[in-house]
Amino acid sequence: MMMDPAYGAIGTEDADSGDVQKNNFAELRADATPHSQERRVNNDPRAKQQKQQKNNQPRRDRRDVHGWVVLDKPIGMTSTQAVAVVKRLFQAKRAGHAGTLDPLASGGLPIALGEATKTVPFVMDGRKRYRFTVCWGEERDTDDIEGQPTATSHQRPTREAILALLPRFTGVIEQVPPRYSAIKVQGERAYDLARDGEVVELAPRPVEIHHLSLVDQPDNDRAVFEAECGKGTYVRALARDMGRILGAFGHICALRRTLVGPFGENDMIPLDQLEALCHRAASGEGSLADALLPVETALDDIPALAVTRADAARLHRGQAVLLRGRDAPTCSGTVYVTVAGRLLALAEVGNGEIIPKRVFNLTGLTASTGRNERN
């Protein structure tokens, strides 16, 4: 997980994007009600009355909504909360996100609605780009602004020293994940062990950083970087390791995610704009479809294969289709199949046939036609 220009935001990385973040601990603890307290609540007649009133309230009808909303997540909101808000605004039956972003980070949080949830892995496996600020002078146990200082230094790195260091953190490198991460150690989450005061030793592992650059030095205490990296990279660890080598120590103090797979900043929509659009749509002044990107946007790096309606009918039933004739496609591997320009299935092509793996049913609300043209 990774980065942000707003001073005071915190970091998550791609690896963190698949993790339950330490920043969510308070929320998780608040949701975990002790059994004794739960029993007291259940025996409280007022609680029973409130529960009965809640059950008597009419439930909003959920509907089929299919597509992607790339939320420009504000600082202070968890990824789980963001998904719940978007799901409520669209009254969608199903929703999920493609990569956790810490509450103290902002930027792109791709939220999949309906059948788009079937394409989430393709987004999570894509590259991520972050802008992040490192504060020099302190290393912290969480490697970000929320932790406690574990080492300090009065030394501050020069621009020349930072630039000379960057090549060492570009390409495939060995990285030790932060102690506060969701990696399991003998069946326990590392962040649980660290939070209980146990010494957590995590083994280094290879990660790939495609690009790392110094963007700005607002003052001697801060440096702003941009990084584009592959799955499993921890930006917090990147800041920690650079600080150690430079002798200045450091931690992430701001983070913004600007790219997740095929989704960039041009695809993002701030929460207030999304809410305003949904309210206008509810009053008949617009369409929720305008906020959606097509399901197949997540499949930009996968070849598309058009089939006839007859073949589409077989694939929709889960049956393989033979590739025949001189016009038969010569591609192999994973493809997404379309019929009359409409997404039908994810399939594997090989041995002269198309084998459906995931079939899409896009009945309901989908993206506006114009949203198929990317900005």
Side-chain angles (χ1 to χ4, degrees), residues 31 40 88 107 124 153 170 255 285 321 327:
D31 291 340
R40 287 197 300 271
R88 173 180 56 80
M124 294 191 67
S153 173
T170 305
L255 175 72
E285 298 178 3
V321 169
D327 294 329

Side-chain angles (χ1 to χ4, degrees), residues 277-288:
L277 188 152
C278 291
H279 292 154
R280 289 196 303 270
S283 61
E285 298 178 3
S287 172
L288 286 176

Side-chain angles (χ1 to χ4, degrees), residues 125-355:
D125 288 342
R127 292 188 182 188
K128 280 77 177 175
R129 187 183 303 131
Y130 301 87
R131 177 181 288 248
F132 63 103
T133 300
V134 178
C135 288
W136 308 117
E138 286 185 347
E139 182 172 313
R140 300 194 176 192
D141 54 4
T142 60
D143 299 321
D144 60 33
I145 200 170
E146 288 196 324
Q148 298 299 315
T150 57
T152 61
S153 173
H154 294 293
Q155 185 172 330
R156 298 295 182 265
T158 65
R159 177 180 178 83
E160 291 71 25
I162 295 173
L163 292 176
L165 179 64
L166 296 183
R168 295 180 56 177
F169 289 93
T170 305
V172 178
I173 66 171
E174 291 287 316
Q175 185 182 77
V176 177
R179 289 182 294 166
Y180 283 84
S181 64
I183 294 174
K184 285 192 174 182
V185 179
Q186 296 181 345
E188 299 288 336
R189 297 290 186 185
Y191 55 62
D192 285 331
L193 297 175
R195 199 174 59 200
D196 291 340
E198 297 188 30
V199 177
V200 179
E201 298 291 343
L202 298 176
R205 58 183 184 176
V207 298
E208 186 170 9
I209 300 175
H210 305 283
H211 174 76
L212 177 63
S213 62
L214 175 65
V215 175
D216 189 20
Q217 283 185 285
D219 49 48
N220 289 335
D221 294 325
R222 292 179 295 164
V224 182
F225 298 87
E226 283 189 352
E228 188 169 313
C229 52
K231 186 176 182 180
T233 305
Y234 284 89
V235 177
R236 285 183 284 134
L238 187 60
R240 175 200 67 202
D241 294 342
M242 287 194 296
R244 288 178 179 178
I245 294 175
L246 291 167
F249 296 118
H251 61 274
I252 293 285
C253 58
L255 175 72
R256 180 171 177 81
R257 186 158 64 187
T258 59
L259 177 75
V260 187
F263 302 117
E265 289 193 283
N266 288 339
D267 299 311
M268 298 180 195
I269 181 169
L271 181 57
D272 57 349
Q273 290 186 21
L274 181 62
E275 290 176 332
L277 188 152
C278 291
H279 292 154
R280 289 196 303 270
S283 61
E285 298 178 3
S287 172
L288 286 176
D290 294 337
L292 292 172
L293 287 168
V295 173
E296 58 267 31
T297 310
L299 309 175
D300 274 2
D301 293 333
I302 300 173
L305 177 61
V307 299
T308 65
R309 293 187 182 277
D311 287 343
R314 290 183 58 85
L315 292 171
H316 195 266
R317 294 193 295 268
Q319 300 172 333
V321 169
L322 294 176
L323 298 172
R324 300 179 295 272
R326 62 183 181 182
D327 294 329
T330 57
C331 61
S332 61
T334 302
V335 299
Y336 74 87
V337 181
T338 64
V339 55
R342 189 174 178 84
L343 179 64
L344 174 68
L346 282 165
E348 292 292 324
V349 175
N351 299 321
E353 62 180 0
I354 308 172
I355 304 172

